[in-house]
Amino acid sequence: MSRTSDLTDGQWARIQPLLPSSDGRRVRPFRDDRRGVEGIIYRYRSRIAWRDVPAEFGLWQTI
């Protein structure tokens, strides 16, 4: 696994149906859920502050 990829495709397939869906929304669809979930996992594994999460996971305020 790389630094920014903690979930396997099988694990993601189990988690994805549990997340909110943007289907049927008239406004902008949700962003990439996997990147946000992996950002949360990275933050808790490395025990860093939210502001120190690497930029490849997106803005720290939106993870």
Side-chain angles (χ1 to χ4, degrees), residues 50-51 58-63:
W50 283 110
R51 291 178 186 245
L59 297 174
W60 65 270
Q61 298 99 328
T62 61
I63 294 179

Side-chain angles (χ1 to χ4, degrees), residues 2-63:
S2 72
R3 178 182 123 168
T4 61
S5 179
D6 291 327
L7 296 173
T8 65
D9 289 335
Q11 291 170 326
W12 179 247
R14 293 186 73 184
I15 292 172
Q16 187 176 20
L18 302 173
L19 298 174
S21 173
S22 61
D23 293 341
R25 292 189 70 197
R26 295 181 184 207
V27 294
R28 180 181 57 196
F30 294 144
R31 293 187 180 172
D32 182 20
D33 291 331
R34 186 170 184 162
R35 186 173 73 160
V37 171
E38 293 203 6
I40 293 168
I41 292 170
Y42 180 84
R43 189 262 180 197
Y44 281 103
R45 279 197 178 166
S46 59
R47 304 187 80 186
I48 59 175
W50 283 110
R51 291 178 186 245
D52 296 334
V53 174
E56 54 258 22
F57 295 116
L59 297 174
W60 65 270
Q61 298 99 328
T62 61
I63 294 179

